Amino acid sequence: MRCSKCRKEAVIWQRYSGLHLCRDHFIADLEAKAKREIRKHRWVQSGDTIAVALSGGKDSGALLHFLARTFGERRDVTLLALTVDEGIAGYRDPNVAREIAESHGVPWHCVSFAEMLGTTTDRIVERKGDTRSCTYCGVLRRHCLNAAARDLGATRLAVGMNLDDEAQSVLMNVLRGDATRLLSSQSPMTGVVPRIKPFAMVPEREVALYAHLTLAHFEEGACPYSSTALRGDVRTLLNDYALRHPAARFALKNLGEELAGVCGTAGELLKICDVCGEPYAGEECRSCQVLREALEG
Ligand code: SF4
Ligand code: ZN
């Protein structure tokens, strides 16, 4: 197939746009989408320090590459890479993340569950079984990322969520009947480094192709605990559906954004946890609650 724009050989067909794109036009198209998302939300401003959450996988590696290309030359924007080692044996060697950061000239920082929390995901699974491993691991990773980003002086935390992740999250909250999460807006809250998601409008397969075209290598293994997550079921369901209805993911993503915009809580008042020093909403600090549960026999 030939590129719809220049007749060179195409590397992808975008079902939702009907376009075939060659390597160069595909990269330009993806980067334009990500830049549009950044402009739309006014996510990056002069003086910002962006911490890029870098696991070393394709999504975060691609994000680091994109941000380094886009902001690497800017004197008024600082980039740094931040890796969290959850302590899952045989998965996510932090050295892969380090090499990606170093090859892009971005300073690299690594923190671990072991040193910040005194435990690891492997040890939690050993005690609790693996049915809720992603709940524990996800909450605790979020905690570590926020604390480390703030300590490093970051004003933004860039995460590699793509369109599929975003659409799955909306659908998961619908299926769980979780109105609070469905409606919670991203309004600024003290103590929380605001998250930015430049790839939120880019389908997962396009982020993967971008990673293959632009990175020398990245972590390709899957987490040994990932198959137990509800997300897996929702992904399968949505992938099947999107084959017949290519705009479904965009629709879900937009629905989530609109609901949060219309009904979103205007920055629920946060308290600072006496135990861990992190901000939290509601009755009890979620990280401390999860950590206590995880450490119970
Ligand atoms: Fe943690 Fe679940 Fe992700 Fe594995 S799949 S790293 S357990 S959140
Ligand atoms: Zn706490």
Side-chain angles (χ1 to χ4, degrees):
M1 274 298 172
R2 299 270 145 200
C3 175
S4 311
K5 303 199 175 196
C6 72
R7 315 308 301 160
K8 274 199 221 127
E9 196 184 337
V11 293
I12 191 168
W13 176 52
Q14 290 176 333
R15 182 185 284 266
Y16 54 90
S17 70
L19 293 176
H20 291 89
L21 296 173
C22 68
R23 182 186 189 280
D24 292 348
H25 279 112
F26 163 70
I27 289 176
D29 179 77
L30 183 146
E31 293 183 346
K33 280 193 184 107
K35 287 178 189 166
R36 210 178 301 135
E37 199 64 9
I38 291 175
R39 272 197 306 274
K40 177 176 149 195
H41 297 282
R42 298 205 180 87
W43 269 337
V44 179
Q45 267 136 42
S46 184
D48 268 332
T49 296
I50 308 173
V52 187
L54 182 69
S55 69
K58 63 177 169 36
D59 297 297
S60 64
L63 180 63
L64 186 101
H65 178 85
F66 162 74
L67 289 171
R69 246 167 87 85
T70 308
F71 298 108
E73 301 288 306
R74 288 251 310 250
R75 284 162 172 255
D76 59 338
V77 174
T78 307
L79 284 181
L80 60 91
L82 180 55
T83 299
V84 176
D85 180 356
E86 300 96 343
I88 302 173
Y91 173 56
R92 283 188 181 165
D93 173 4
N95 285 315
V96 176
R98 179 175 55 77
E99 282 162 28
I100 295 176
E102 282 175 1
S103 66
H104 288 84
V106 174
W108 181 70
H109 302 266
C110 184
V111 295
S112 69
F113 277 18
E115 96 206 14
M116 285 184 85
L117 308 169
T119 190
T120 64
T121 296
D122 277 345
R123 265 187 259 154
I124 294 172
V125 171
E126 208 177 293
R127 297 174 88 108
K128 310 291 289 182
D130 65 359
T131 43
R132 295 185 61 217
S133 50
C134 291
T135 310
Y136 294 128
C137 180
V139 169
L140 298 176
R141 183 177 46 230
R142 191 177 269 259
H143 166 102
C144 291
L145 273 174
N146 188 63
R150 201 188 45 225
D151 291 351
L152 289 164
T155 52
R156 299 276 182 245
L157 178 62
V159 291
M161 262 71 161
N162 56 51
L163 177 65
D164 296 48
D165 298 322
E166 293 288 291
Q168 286 158 16
S169 296
V170 174
L171 193 52
M172 276 163 68
N173 289 332
V174 170
L175 294 175
R176 285 199 195 106
D178 190 338
T180 315
R181 279 214 222 159
L182 193 58
L183 301 182
S184 67
S185 61
Q186 298 282 317
S187 40
M189 296 180 278
T190 355
V192 179
V193 182
R195 295 187 158 225
I196 67 171
K197 304 172 188 172
F199 288 164
M201 288 302 272
V202 184
E204 182 171 87
R205 68 188 277 264
E206 296 189 25
V207 176
L209 178 58
Y210 183 76
H212 277 286
L213 293 175
T214 59
L215 296 175
H217 68 304
F218 49 83
E219 177 78 66
E220 293 197 72
C223 172
Y225 309 126
S226 64
S227 60
T228 56
L230 164 69
R231 188 173 283 274
D233 296 341
V234 170
R235 170 182 292 131
T236 311
L237 191 147
L238 198 52
N239 285 353
D240 276 358
Y241 187 79
L243 272 182
R244 273 161 287 126
H245 307 277
R249 293 189 188 94
F250 294 98
L252 276 170
K253 158 85 172 67
N254 288 334
L255 174 71
E257 226 167 64
E258 274 185 38
L259 283 176
V262 175
C263 320
T265 45
E268 196 180 340
L269 215 53
L270 293 191
K271 292 160 249 176
I272 299 295
C273 174
D274 290 336
V275 180
C276 72
E278 284 297 294
Y280 69 98
E283 290 295 300
E284 194 194 353
C285 168
R286 180 98 171 104
S287 318
C288 284
Q289 187 196 345
V290 157
L291 194 59
R292 197 186 53 240
E293 259 182 65
L295 296 175
E296 278 166 3

